[in-house]
Amino acid sequence: MEILRIENLKVAIDGKQIIKGLNLTIHSGEVHAIMGPNGTGKSTLANVLAGKPGYDVIEGKITFLGKDLLELEPEERARAGIFLAFQYPVEIPGVTNANFMKTAVNEVRKYRQLEPIDAYDFLQMMKEKASLVGLDSSYLNRNVNEGFSGGEKKRNEIFQLAMLEPTLAILDETDSGLDIDALKIVANGVNTLRNPERAFLVITHYQRLLNYIIPDFVHVMYNGRIVLSGGKDLAHELEAKGYDWLKNGNNNGVN
Amino acid sequence: MKFYECIQKFFEHKFENNQSYDINKRRDFLNKFLHLGIPTTKHEEWKYTNLTFLDDLDFNFVHDNQKFLSNNLLAELEYHDFSEFYFVPIVNGFYLDSQATLNGFFDVQRINDESVFSSNGSLLNFERFFNGNNPFSFLNLAAFSDSVFLQIKDNTVLERPIVLQYNYIFETSSLSNTLNFIEVGENSKVSIIILFKSNNASKVFANEYINLHLKQNSSIEISFLQYDLSNLILLNNLNVVCDIGVFFKSNYFSFETQFVRNNVNLAFEGINSTAKLNGVYIVSSNNFVDNHTMLYHNQPFCTSDEDYRGIINEQARSVFNGKIYVARGAQKTNAYQSNKNILLSNEARVYTRPQLEIYADDVKCTHGATAGFLDQDSLFYLTTRGIGKEKAKALLLSSFVSNNLERVEQSELRNILKELVAKKLNLENIYFCSAINELSKV
């Protein structure tokens, strides 16, 4: 089933065009990886999908589960099944993870016309999902991301992903700032959450993460466009040749 | 001019022919007030506190001690959240001893003019705070209707707080002045909650004073709770004198207050004392809240720490004016001050003014003040989790004041405050989650 279709997307920030005609289609169960050098528009794409204010979509169309995604507010997108794991998760002092997640889960449940979750069930669910990414239950009483290490913040993102059970999960540079052990924990969490109904869009600068989260498709983004698409081996090829390979125009896909 | 006429009439009616008052003393103070007059915005301490509306207020002063209190009104006095605490009610300017709940470790007495004004009277320690900075201080001395002396004995730790509750249940526009004294004995520890309750039926001008003497090695947490005061003009004054080795903590919470001015004057008169001033105000519509603090570091080795935070919505206005004075010789003073504000509308206004006056050379003093809007990145983060914008804003606002709520040591009060803030921010369901927090500890 088709989950996401991006057609000829063009996006500008403060009048400067960042994405310059991007096409991408994602089906359920698929894991897509987007790679590319810095400043090429990868994170912009993630933010536009999640609905961050400040981005001008000047052309193109994004369809999510048959709906016009660009018409929806960020919270509506989340309730409809889009999840963005942030590159830089925000600290929220004074709000515990438990309060935060209970609010979020109930808002999503309300949208799906379900009753608010029972306190005991919720607690069990929290504990189960937290253990998935190696966070112990004391973490539930800690304030959202406050004083978390880089690794804990990223694990918290995957924990939230597990709690909210999205249809499309976007991971924006989730591997940045992670040591190899934390990377494995995060990747294992993601792999556990893979299922035939859910799709992932994994944005990464390095091939390293893709050793643990094996993608079905790899897209290379450069200068605001996807210039090359292929299978998982493309990532290895990129790693070996470096991004200069693209910049030097040695590939037919590059304009 | 109406206000002055009312004051004169009030004075003549209540005091001139009453034997129990020291009319000469009071007349002097009245003249001082009339001479200084209602401060205008040209007055440095009242620059952002516009009182011109007082001119148009017409107060009716015909009431007598306790006679007006029907049983129905007495029933209103009960405050269920604090029913387990010691209770000292002051109703329409009079201490209502029949309704008080006391115990043997402290003493509450009504005191007369003589014991207030005499050469070694209760006022002696505090007279310096009654000055031109606040002309209404003289009005209070001229027109206080009742005076209570609350004494916590030496070497006493009170497990339960004392609630001193001001009730305003007037039927017509009225004036209330009380002059109260609290003394915490040596090595004693107490928590005192000052509650303001009004039936808001008529306009009330309240000019209340608490004079607090903290004796050697004593400790106090004094918490002021002001909410739903839609028809009260409140000048709430606290004067504090700290002896050696004292710990003082104050909490000021103002929610939906039409007009509140909180004055704190605190003097360190002994070494090794600490004062922590904590405050949260959440105001909207045309509310006004003003926190003025004046700390006198007169002795070395003392620490003061002020942290006030506010959320200002719609056309509400807030003022913070924090002044720290460090006397010559008050070395090793540590003084921190912070005032942070979030504005929720373009019409909301914040006037914040930290001031330092330092005459010693070995001190650490810092101050900071901010006024801004909600952080958009945080807001976006919450909305990407499916949380609607309004609820996300409310979560961030509760987050903004959460540290100040946690600083309240008295746990029942802290919980009540959390509930009040949650309700104020439409977050009832959020704080319900504290139950989850409890569960997850099991």
Side-chain angles (χ1 to χ4, degrees), chain B residues 282-298:
Chain B
I282 304 177
V283 283
S284 56
S285 70
N286 60 350
N287 290 165
F288 177 78
V289 60
D290 176 355
N291 283 291
H292 259 66
T293 65
M294 173 76 237
L295 308 184
Y296 298 91
H297 278 266
N298 292 333

Side-chain angles (χ1 to χ4, degrees), chain B residues 2-284:
Chain B
K2 229 183 230 172
F3 187 77
Y4 296 116
E5 283 166 31
C6 285
I7 295 291
Q8 292 271 22
K9 256 197 281 175
F10 175 63
F11 196 81
E12 283 155 22
H13 178 78
K14 285 198 67 76
F15 299 100
E16 290 284 16
N17 298 314
N18 194 323
Q19 298 298 320
S20 60
Y21 295 119
D22 183 342
I23 196 63
N24 290 332
K25 276 273 183 194
R26 285 175 178 256
R27 174 59 74 183
D28 283 351
F29 288 126
L30 181 69
N31 288 336
K32 275 186 183 161
F33 170 67
L34 294 174
H35 173 71
L36 290 165
I38 298 171
T40 66
T41 50
K42 284 181 184 149
H43 192 304
E44 201 55 28
E45 298 297 323
W46 300 82
K47 202 169 174 181
Y48 305 105
T49 311
N50 191 335
L51 295 167
T52 47
F53 66 91
L54 279 180
D55 291 341
D56 300 325
L57 287 181
D58 197 359
F59 294 110
N60 188 348
F61 297 116
V62 281
H63 62 79
D64 273 312
N65 188 0
Q66 302 185 17
K67 212 165 70 186
F68 55 90
L69 288 172
S70 68
N71 285 335
N72 284 346
L73 290 178
L74 283 176
E76 283 185 31
L77 289 183
E78 206 176 331
Y79 193 79
H80 292 284
D81 294 323
F82 295 118
S83 56
E84 296 296 305
F85 299 169
Y86 305 117
F87 190 53
V88 179
I90 293 175
V91 183
N92 293 1
F94 292 94
Y95 170 45
L96 198 65
D97 46 5
S98 64
Q99 301 291 311
T101 54
L102 308 173
N103 97 350
F105 294 104
F106 67 98
D107 193 31
V108 185
Q109 277 184 29
R110 171 174 287 121
I111 53 175
N112 60 20
D113 279 25
E114 198 194 333
S115 34
V116 173
F117 292 132
S118 66
S119 59
N120 59 352
S122 309
L123 192 61
L124 184 67
N125 243 331
F126 303 100
E127 217 157 1
R128 61 186 128 165
F129 299 123
F130 291 78
N131 57 42
N133 283 344
N134 182 1
F136 295 103
S137 63
F138 295 118
L139 175 64
N140 182 279
L141 293 180
F144 68 88
S145 50
D146 209 351
S147 181
V148 165
F149 184 69
L150 196 164
Q151 186 181 33
I152 289 98
K153 294 171 183 169
D154 289 349
N155 307 312
T156 301
V157 176
L158 278 183
E159 297 288 340
R160 287 187 283 158
I162 299 170
V163 176
L164 196 154
Q165 182 167 321
Y166 291 95
N167 297 274
Y168 305 103
I169 44 181
F170 293 103
E171 277 153 12
T172 55
S173 286
S174 303
L175 181 77
S176 169
N177 288 278
T178 60
L179 178 65
N180 299 314
F181 298 88
I182 300 174
E183 184 181 285
V184 184
E186 291 182 10
N187 311 311
S188 291
K189 186 175 182 199
V190 65
S191 169
I192 297 182
I193 298 167
I194 316 288
L195 262 179
F196 294 87
K197 296 203 82 186
S198 171
N199 64 357
N200 294 321
S202 54
K203 183 72 77 190
V204 174
F205 178 82
N207 179 32
E208 314 289 9
Y209 272 82
I210 291 175
N211 299 289
L212 173 64
H213 182 196
L214 299 169
K215 299 178 94 168
Q216 194 167 332
N217 297 328
S218 65
S219 168
I220 190 171
E221 176 173 53
I222 185 164
S223 309
F224 294 83
L225 187 47
Q226 302 155 341
Y227 68 97
D228 293 340
L229 302 175
S230 60
N231 224 351
L232 181 70
I233 303 153
L234 175 62
L235 307 183
N236 172 37
N237 302 281
L238 175 69
N239 298 325
V240 189
V241 173
C242 301
D243 292 353
I244 297 170
V246 157
F247 180 82
F248 166 88
K249 175 183 253 180
S250 62
N251 303 304
Y252 282 85
F253 290 93
S254 312
F255 309 129
E256 297 309 296
T257 52
Q258 203 218 346
F259 185 100
V260 166
R261 161 87 168 219
N262 292 311
N263 285 317
V264 183
N265 297 306
L266 181 142
F268 290 114
E269 297 300 354
I271 60 168
N272 290 337
S273 287
T274 300
K276 293 191 173 186
L277 289 77
N278 178 34
V280 172
Y281 41 92
I282 304 177
V283 283
S284 56

Side-chain angles (χ1 to χ4, degrees), chain A residues 50-52 73-75 78-79 83-84 86 90 92-96 98-100 102-104 107 119 122-123 141 145 157 160, chain B residues 375 377-378 380-389 391 395-396 398-400 402 430-434 436-437 439-442:
Chain A
K52 187 171 186 176
E73 294 293 319
E75 62 270 29
R79 293 168 196 166
F83 180 91
L84 171 63
F86 278 54
V90 177
I92 305 176
V95 177
T96 64
N99 276 352
F100 172 43
K102 178 148 187 200
T103 308
E107 293 265 298
F122 179 69
L123 183 65
N141 285 320
N145 292 326
E157 294 294 286
Q160 293 173 34
Chain B
D375 179 49
D377 286 340
S378 304
F380 175 60
Y381 187 66
L382 292 178
T383 54
T384 61
R385 275 36 178 167
I387 299 172
K389 282 207 179 57
K391 199 163 256 182
L395 263 179
L396 291 176
S398 84
S399 151
F400 176 67
S402 64
I430 307 282
Y431 273 105
F432 168 69
C433 293
S434 54
I436 296 255
N437 297 345
L439 266 175
S440 59
K441 282 177 197 150
V442 178

Side-chain angles (χ1 to χ4, degrees), chain B residues 297-317:
Chain B
H297 278 266
N298 292 333
Q299 294 290 329
F301 304 109
C302 291
T303 297
S304 63
D305 182 356
E306 297 179 66
D307 192 328
Y308 282 75
R309 287 195 175 202
I311 298 167
I312 300 100
N313 200 4
E314 297 168 357
Q315 295 88 43
R317 289 175 304 134

Side-chain angles (χ1 to χ4, degrees), chain A residues 86-132:
Chain A
F86 278 54
Q87 184 177 3
Y88 304 108
V90 177
E91 296 189 13
I92 305 176
V95 177
T96 64
N97 282 300
N99 276 352
F100 172 43
M101 270 301 103
K102 178 148 187 200
T103 308
V105 166
N106 279 337
E107 293 265 298
V108 172
R109 285 177 72 90
K110 195 162 83 185
Y111 172 82
R112 293 174 189 162
Q113 298 185 332
L114 297 168
E115 290 288 302
I117 191 163
D118 169 80
Y120 182 79
D121 293 346
F122 179 69
L123 183 65
Q124 292 309 314
M125 182 178 168
M126 291 263 292
K127 282 183 172 169
E128 182 199 319
K129 308 286 187 187
S131 69
L132 197 69

